[in-house]
Amino acid sequence: MTLAPTTKGTVPFGEYETWYRVTGDLSSGRPPIVVVHGGPGSTHDYLLSLTALAEAGWPVVHYDQLGNGGSTHLPGRGSDFWTVELFLAELDNLLQRLGIADNYVLYGQSWGGMLVAKHAAARPAGLRGLVIANSPASYPLWRQEMDRLRAELPPGVDETLRRHEAAGTTEDDEYHQAMRVFYERHVCLLKPWPRDYLASFYEVYNDPTVYYTMNGPTEFHVIGTLRDWSVEDCCPDIQVPTLLISGRHDEATPATVQPFQDLIPDVRWEILENSSHLPHLEEPELFNKIMTEYLQDLR
């Protein structure tokens, strides 16, 4: 269940606007959980179930990263504009504008996990804890694992995908049907797909500028500007207690998560056995239990 927002609006980010919503009381004294969504180029919608943490006493902040959802869309901008540094600056700006930069916890999911790892490595004074969920530490590792997972798809599926990728016809219905086979195995096990996930899924393709530029046409065909990016080098600099979350059937396979476990000094890893890339939707009770216990331990 998604709790209604306490407030929502936009904050200025240079000449642009970043959309946000808050659930709970930012003045409660407890560090708010700032939720950083995946993509890049997705939206907050598929992570709305994290508002349940507000019922347990932790305010929750969702936002849409620039280029998507309720934030400013810039379909004419190219790869020189859409950079990791841009999104780090946007996150810093949001924390300052909401007045929470001196006391907060970050939850980053998928690409958002890499972004919050990079943020945390700068050792911001107000960061109290870090959750990296369903995230690789390295896109080169991710691409290797995508090849392995694709090879395990039913006969003919990967062949269909690669034929369209080689021809540049990834908009074709046949490609999307084959793509769905992968997504139903490694992105969302639930049938039908939940409304919140569908909302973000459709938002990506309503304006795919950021996703296509930085990632590529699908989760498993990463040909964008992030294809060689890694945060492995900065993991030893993360100094806050860190929780890793992934699903047993996750596209973020154990091999892609392992560097976080190996390199972050204060870290523990929870693998949810009946989940893929969205354990907060696939196993919500266990997910909320793990999150609440982690947050209580930060006190």
Side-chain angles (χ1 to χ4, degrees), residues 234-268:
C234 71
C235 286
D237 296 324
I238 296 172
Q239 294 298 302
V240 294
T242 301
L243 171 65
L244 304 177
I245 296 175
S246 63
R248 179 61 66 190
H249 310 285
D250 206 328
E251 59 179 352
T253 64
T256 71
V257 180
Q258 190 67 45
F260 289 128
Q261 174 72 18
D262 293 341
L263 298 170
I264 296 175
D266 182 359
V267 65
R268 69 181 178 90

Side-chain angles (χ1 to χ4, degrees), residues 126-149:
L127 182 63
R128 301 289 175 254
L130 184 70
V131 182
I132 298 173
N134 317 103
S135 175
S138 153
Y139 275 101
L141 273 178
W142 175 274
R143 289 190 287 114
Q144 288 176 26
E145 287 295 279
M146 291 306 102
D147 283 342
R148 183 178 67 79
L149 294 178

Side-chain angles (χ1 to χ4, degrees), residues 211-230:
Y211 189 70
Y212 283 5
T213 300
M214 298 183 76
N215 184 83
T218 63
E219 298 293 279
F220 49 79
H221 187 46
V222 180
I223 55 175
T225 56
L226 292 178
R227 68 188 311 274
D228 295 318
W229 187 51
S230 170

